[in-house]
Amino acid sequence: MSSKPPQHDVDESALEVSTPKTWAAGIPGVLVSLDRAVEQMGVGRTVKTLRLLNQREGFDCPGCAWPEPQGHRKMAEFCENGAKAVAEEATKRRITTAFFAEHSIESLRTKTDYWLGQQGRLTEPMVLKPGATHYTPISWDAAFTMIADELNALSSPDEAIFYTSGRTSNEAAFLYQLLVRSFGTNNLPDCSNMCHESSGSALNQTIGIGKGSVSIKDFDLADLIVVVGQNPGTNHPRMLSALEDAKKNGAKIIAVNPLPEAGLMRFKNPQNVAGVVGRGTALCDEFVQIKVGGDQALFQAIGHLLLEWDKVDRDFINAKTHGFDAYAAHVKELDWDAVLTATGLTREQITRVAGMFVDSKRTIACWAMGLTQHKHSVPTIQEVVNVMFLRGMIGKPGAGLCPVRGHSNVQGDRTMGIYEKMPEKFLLALENEFSISVPRKHGFDTVDAINAMRHGRGKVFIAMGGNFVSATPDTPVTEKALEQCSLTVHVSTKLNRSHVVHGRTALILPALGRTESDVQHSGEQFVTVEDSMSVVHRSRGRLKPASDQLLSEVSIVCRLARKTLGSSHPVAWEQFEKDYDIIREHISRVVPGCTDYNTRVRQPDGFVLPHPPRDSQEFATATGKANFTASPMTVIEVPEGRLVMQTLRSHDQYNTTIYGLDDRYRGVKDGRRVVFVNPDDIKQLGFRDGQMVNIVSEWKDDPTGVVERRAESFRIVSYSTARGCVATYFPEANPLIPLDSKADTSGTPTSKSVIVRLEQA
Ligand SMILES: Nc1nc2c(c(=O)[nH]1)N[C@H]1C(S)=C(S)[C@@H](COP(=O)(O)OP(=O)(O)OC[C@H]3O[C@@H](n4cnc5c(=O)[nH]c(N)nc54)[C@H](O)[C@@H]3O)O[C@H]1N2
Ligand SMILES: Nc1nc2c(c(=O)[nH]1)N[C@H]1C(S)=C(S)[C@@H](COP(=O)(O)OP(=O)(O)OC[C@H]3O[C@@H](n4cnc5c(=O)[nH]c(N)nc54)[C@H](O)[C@@H]3O)O[C@H]1N2
Ligand SMILES: [Mo]
């Protein structure tokens, strides 16, 4: 039995606020996951689906990119939010032709992403013809012809933009970039541009590879784990088990966050007795309630203290690093006043934290969006790296750098070539493998792509998954950019706002999801994915597809390629979809580290991609060493009466997919338009808890001066957040983020630092 999709949309007047929780998971987590699963899938399908989640013979969770344990896997290797992610995809609800006949585009545009997503799985290709009021069915063949004609009519391949979200399998991603580059452009923006791009930029320069250096086993060996700018209780709940095990082995945990997130404080593991009936495990030993954007200052101060105390690893520094003297000279001159202003912390606490680094022989530093989405994100991450270098904490057991990825295959997609500026070595290998020539000019990243569409330089937009208009900044600007396209195409599993904010013509192409079986000419196929720790493994869905009209992403790319590139194109596109082993043969010859791919992905736990700093303390940087960096300290300037706003995820959403309206740990229910404000700021600004306000962001748009952006009707929620720092949910607050407010070097939108003021609504 499964419930009907909701007819009514979110009613913000029903919003309820209660006391935030001080612990995560436990029995409520299990109950919510079962409840949501049964509501969407019914009992039989729930049992079948959750049994296969993250098992060797099953499918990779479409939730986060946290790795599965190697060797023994528990029966239920999933978490509450993994179960919700699966329920969202394996739902029994369906969107049919009748739905589109009933709902005009005009009416669908008034709905929230929550309502749109809750309607169920997309089941057949649909087209919105120029000037039409409703989507209508179209055959796959006609859809591919339409796209091919539009693409081939462009005056340059660079007028087409090919976006990728992070769920696409390695096989589909590899073929997609091959299609795009064969067509003649590197316009391959992806969700990573808005996510961990800053980590990639920071790490490439300092360690020579844009990926984390730890494996899951290192968590058992570490004696200090620092979790900076990350909310694992919601976004990587299986990480809590790793943290719990680490604690049992004696590790200490430091959490650096403007908010006391429940999952950082205490974990009740539902898989053991203490978690069910007891108080669970206290996780963080030191909670560092930092101001938004203050992390760079904090880590400079830690570096300063380590040097002052002479508690650094001279052997590592001398043998393996470059730039130490310049860095040491720079942090020696530390301005403590600036540090205290930027961080909002006391000198005592910073000293205590630095002491914990000194006491640790094996330290892991984890981070996520709290570090990557600021103007000074790249130097901030590099400051964390500096401190880890000082202590020699890379390339040894129990220690290392751990950027915790978001989408389940975002890291794999990059490995497979989804990148607007892929290195020459990869492009050359691609050319040699397929006897083609591919362009060298760098393509658009996400923000560039929006600017190109806005100014008429981008005309066809194709998305392999994702929800571009809701995930990107400056919503009204982005929407207008998309509307200027001649064609917008979305390969999707669920309905979202990007389908209803469209180009002159729009197509929805429904794809198989992770949970579904993928049967092709040579039989049932599996795909491969890469987790946050560079482990590549198989994923195989078993459920009957949501509709017999769905195509796999691999099939969609192959058929589109044949139409677009013509039958004389040297790549044997028709072979790939018959047997995915053939794709993997090519991957093994083109993608570094993937030799013998077909054999190695068939090993029970897959295989681990090479990572020179992790494996042998080798650093393929410009200097051949691990590079220290010396960067000026950034203190975010906040004018009088203004606040710094960060946007974050509730416990009941997956990016723009809103599972439900219960941000359980923060105590916010049945509504999402809230702004979390420190009680002292509420008082000082003359507001009161519960009051309705409009949020106005202020951005100096050269040369025109200050530009205001406005989002209306948010309820103030008095909350423990660092002074001067407020938080709202993504994507509701995206209209407030200026398109051109982005991180230096990486170009990531500054979703975690926007200057705003509140106005009475
Ligand atoms: N259930 C679920 N799982 C997910 C996702 C989801 O939406 N739902 N999304 C997936 C994706 S794509 C990603 S990228 C990850 C995101 O995972 P997270 O990065 O954990 O996600 P956010 O909600 O953006 O939370 C960022 C955290 O950083 C803190 N923060 C904000 N600004 C600062 C700062 O300046 N300094 C510090 N130290 N902390 C700061 C916030 O208070 C918050 O706790 O999760 C992935 N997993
Ligand atoms: N303000 C603000 N903005 C942000 C962020 C933030 O923290 N604050 N975070 C940023 C981050 S970290 C990220 S990663 C981006 C996310 O940006 P996106 O990846 O573009 O967005 P999602 O919401 O994850 O995409 C959801 C859609 O993907 C489709 N989908 C789901 N599974 C599949 C599948 O298997 N195949 C296909 N083809 N389609 C599928 C469904 O149709 C669903 O509606 O948002 C960014 N935007
Ligand atoms: Mo992400």
Side-chain angles (χ1 to χ4, degrees):
M1 185 196 63
S2 60
S3 74
K4 292 252 175 304
Q7 301 300 304
H8 300 290
D9 212 333
V10 186
D11 171 11
E12 292 286 341
S13 70
L15 187 137
E16 277 176 34
V17 178
S18 57
T19 316
K21 300 275 179 296
T22 51
W23 50 270
I27 292 299
V30 177
L31 294 179
V32 171
S33 51
L34 288 178
D35 195 44
R36 293 290 175 78
V38 172
E39 181 186 338
Q40 297 266 1
M41 303 190 278
V43 175
R45 203 169 164 91
T46 295
V47 172
K48 182 169 179 196
T49 314
L50 296 186
R51 209 163 41 81
L52 288 167
L53 179 51
N54 285 339
Q55 298 300 321
R56 283 175 175 160
E57 296 308 316
F59 57 90
D60 182 57
C61 180
C64 71
W66 188 257
E68 280 71 58
Q70 303 279 296
H72 172 73
R73 293 189 184 182
K74 296 188 183 116
M75 199 33 214
E77 204 49 70
F78 69 93
C79 65
E80 174 190 344
N81 279 349
K84 287 182 197 163
V86 169
E88 189 75 19
E89 181 179 300
T91 178
K92 285 184 169 173
R93 298 173 186 165
R94 299 285 177 269
I95 290 187
T96 59
T97 311
F99 172 90
F100 285 112
E102 184 187 338
H103 299 278
S104 69
I105 287 294
E106 204 185 339
S107 81
L108 292 175
R109 273 190 78 132
T110 65
K111 307 292 190 194
T112 63
D113 268 306
Y114 168 68
W115 188 92
L116 295 171
Q118 289 297 314
Q119 302 307 309
R121 284 289 297 273
L122 294 159
T123 53
E124 59 178 306
M126 303 296 294
V127 63
L128 184 73
K129 295 197 173 133
T133 55
H134 293 71
Y135 269 103
T136 49
I138 181 172
S139 71
W140 278 107
D141 199 56
F144 292 131
T145 304
M146 184 180 270
I147 304 169
D149 288 350
E150 285 276 353
L151 286 174
N152 288 322
L154 293 173
S155 47
S156 150
D158 289 331
E159 290 178 345
I161 289 158
F162 299 85
Y163 175 70
T164 313
S165 171
R167 277 198 190 165
T168 297
S169 66
N170 283 351
E171 288 75 5
F174 181 77
L175 293 184
Y176 188 52
Q177 62 83 33
L178 178 62
L179 158 64
V180 172
R181 295 195 162 101
S182 299
F183 175 64
T185 181
N186 282 308
N187 285 344
L188 283 159
D190 68 347
C191 69
S192 200
N193 298 144
M194 299 180 266
C195 184
H196 266 292
E197 198 68 62
S198 302
S199 306
S201 300
L203 295 180
N204 264 314
Q205 197 199 335
T206 51
I207 66 166
I209 179 169
K211 299 179 181 183
S213 76
V214 295
S215 77
I216 189 77
K217 283 193 244 99
D218 290 314
F219 280 75
D220 291 335
L221 304 172
D223 44 33
L224 177 65
I225 300 169
V226 193
V227 183
V228 196
Q230 194 203 342
N231 179 20
T234 286
N235 298 313
H236 307 90
R238 285 180 298 120
M239 181 175 169
L240 298 189
S241 308
L243 293 178
E244 184 185 41
D245 290 346
K247 286 286 300 199
K248 287 193 180 136
N249 295 336
K252 295 243 180 318
I253 295 176
I254 302 174
V256 184
N257 203 303
L259 306 179
E261 306 280 25
L264 295 168
M265 300 302 147
R266 187 170 277 278
F267 174 44
K268 295 195 184 180
N269 189 341
Q271 291 184 335
N272 63 40
V273 176
V276 175
V277 295
R279 298 186 59 233
T281 309
L283 292 179
C284 96
D285 298 273
E286 184 78 38
F287 172 51
V288 183
Q289 190 160 30
I290 197 161
K291 276 193 188 172
V292 163
D295 307 84
Q296 190 206 9
L298 170 67
F299 280 87
Q300 271 194 14
I302 295 171
H304 170 91
L305 291 170
L306 295 178
L307 283 161
E308 191 178 282
W309 300 335
D310 198 17
K311 294 290 185 191
V312 300
D313 182 344
R314 293 277 165 196
D315 292 344
F316 178 82
I317 294 170
N318 292 338
K320 301 289 178 185
T321 70
H322 174 268
F324 170 73
D325 292 339
Y327 166 74
H330 178 59
V331 293
K332 191 159 185 263
E333 302 301 319
L334 189 78
D335 176 349
W336 271 104
D337 288 340
V339 171
L340 301 186
T341 308
T343 59
L345 304 172
T346 62
R347 195 162 166 166
E348 292 69 44
Q349 188 177 27
I350 296 174
T351 308
R352 200 161 59 235
V353 167
M356 291 171 79
F357 275 86
V358 172
D359 293 341
S360 163
K361 291 197 169 58
R362 291 176 296 271
T363 303
I364 295 176
C366 305
W367 70 89
M369 298 304 100
L371 287 200
T372 64
Q373 300 175 329
H374 303 278
K375 182 165 192 309
H376 58 302
S377 279
V378 174
T380 297
I381 295 162
Q382 291 183 337
E383 219 65 72
V384 176
V385 173
N386 284 334
V387 166
M388 295 292 277
F389 286 169
L390 282 181
R391 300 282 305 152
M393 292 298 167
I394 186 161
K396 65 179 195 187
L401 300 164
C402 182
V404 184
R405 303 277 159 181
H407 264 302
S408 52
N409 199 38
V410 63
Q411 189 161 314
D413 289 347
R414 209 27 99 72
T415 305
M416 294 296 132
I418 303 294
Y419 190 23
E420 69 279 0
K421 42 186 182 200
M422 214 51 197
E424 175 62 22
K425 198 171 156 225
F426 180 97
L427 300 178
L428 210 55
L430 201 61
E431 292 186 323
N432 290 338
E433 177 69 12
F434 293 104
S435 307
I436 53 171
S437 60
V438 304
R440 295 300 192 274
K441 190 177 131 202
H442 288 175
F444 298 139
D445 67 7
T446 293
V447 171
D448 293 338
I450 297 167
N451 274 321
M453 290 186 274
R454 190 180 174 192
H455 297 118
R457 287 178 283 116
K459 295 181 177 154
V460 173
F461 176 84
I462 300 179
M464 186 55 69
N467 181 3
F468 193 80
V469 293
S470 294
T472 48
D474 231 347
T475 314
V477 172
T478 303
E479 292 193 349
K480 214 172 275 160
L482 261 286
E483 283 167 349
Q484 269 170 238
C485 289
S486 58
L487 176 68
T488 49
V489 181
H490 286 88
V491 177
S492 310
T493 51
K494 302 290 289 280
L495 190 64
N496 65 44
R497 186 153 179 89
S498 299
H499 303 123
V500 298
V501 176
H502 53 84
R504 187 153 46 87
T505 305
L507 285 164
I508 300 176
L509 306 181
L512 285 178
R514 281 275 171 83
T515 54
E516 292 165 321
S517 70
D518 181 357
V519 182
Q520 304 285 355
H521 188 77
S522 71
E524 214 173 301
Q525 308 295 313
F526 66 84
V527 292
T528 54
V529 292
E530 174 184 344
D531 68 29
S532 207
M533 298 181 187
S534 304
V535 181
V536 179
H537 61 90
R538 283 171 299 161
S539 172
R540 184 170 150 209
R542 300 294 177 81
L543 294 181
K544 187 169 171 277
S547 137
D548 57 11
Q549 292 206 53
L550 304 185
L551 290 183
S552 73
E553 291 183 350
V554 165
S555 295
I556 292 172
V557 175
C558 289
R559 293 179 196 194
L560 177 59
R562 284 170 68 189
K563 284 272 194 232
T564 306
L565 304 171
S567 51
S568 60
H569 191 256
V571 177
W573 290 100
E574 69 285 353
Q575 295 299 320
F576 300 143
E577 64 173 308
K578 290 185 183 156
D579 181 354
Y580 295 1
D581 271 355
I582 299 173
I583 312 170
R584 289 185 283 266
E585 282 304 312
H586 291 287
I587 290 176
S588 74
R589 288 188 293 265
V590 172
V591 182
C594 291
T595 328
D596 218 6
Y597 199 69
N598 265 315
T599 311
R600 289 197 293 158
V601 295
R602 284 179 163 85
Q603 296 169 162
D605 287 321
F607 71 98
V608 186
L609 284 167
H611 188 290
R614 179 198 64 206
D615 302 336
S616 51
Q617 289 195 336
E618 282 170 78
F619 303 89
T621 60
T623 62
K625 301 265 182 173
N627 286 322
F628 276 100
T629 45
S631 321
M633 187 193 301
T634 299
V635 184
I636 297 180
E637 266 180 58
V638 189
E640 185 66 28
R642 309 307 192 262
L643 301 152
V644 187
M645 181 187 77
Q646 61 144 321
T647 56
L648 41 61
R649 294 154 169 81
S650 81
H651 190 62
D652 220 359
Q653 72 184 87
Y654 193 91
N655 299 338
T656 70
T657 299
I658 312 301
Y659 299 140
L661 302 173
D662 190 2
D663 193 8
R664 202 169 75 241
Y665 300 151
R666 302 198 187 100
V668 174
K669 211 174 166 204
D670 291 336
R672 294 179 45 89
R673 294 184 81 84
V674 293
V675 53
F676 298 100
V677 191
N678 181 297
D680 293 335
D681 287 323
I682 299 180
K683 201 153 46 156
Q684 191 183 329
L685 294 168
F687 293 107
R688 60 185 160 70
D689 187 16
Q691 188 176 343
M692 297 303 293
V693 291
N694 300 327
I695 309 178
V696 185
S697 76
E698 300 178 347
W699 168 251
K700 230 182 250 144
D701 205 4
D702 292 334
T704 34
V706 176
V707 177
E708 295 193 341
R709 291 169 170 80
R710 189 173 294 270
E712 304 205 325
S713 301
F714 286 75
R715 186 179 308 193
I716 292 183
V717 174
S718 175
Y719 204 84
S720 172
T721 164
R723 275 304 295 273
C725 305
V726 301
T728 49
Y729 295 133
F730 143 56
E732 283 76 3
N734 285 38
L736 296 165
I737 305 167
L739 185 60
D740 293 322
S741 173
K742 51 186 184 173
D744 297 333
T745 315
S746 67
T748 298
T750 62
S751 307
K752 295 287 187 280
S753 43
V754 183
I755 302 291
V756 299
R757 64 170 198 267
L758 306 180
E759 280 181 359
Q760 187 175 345

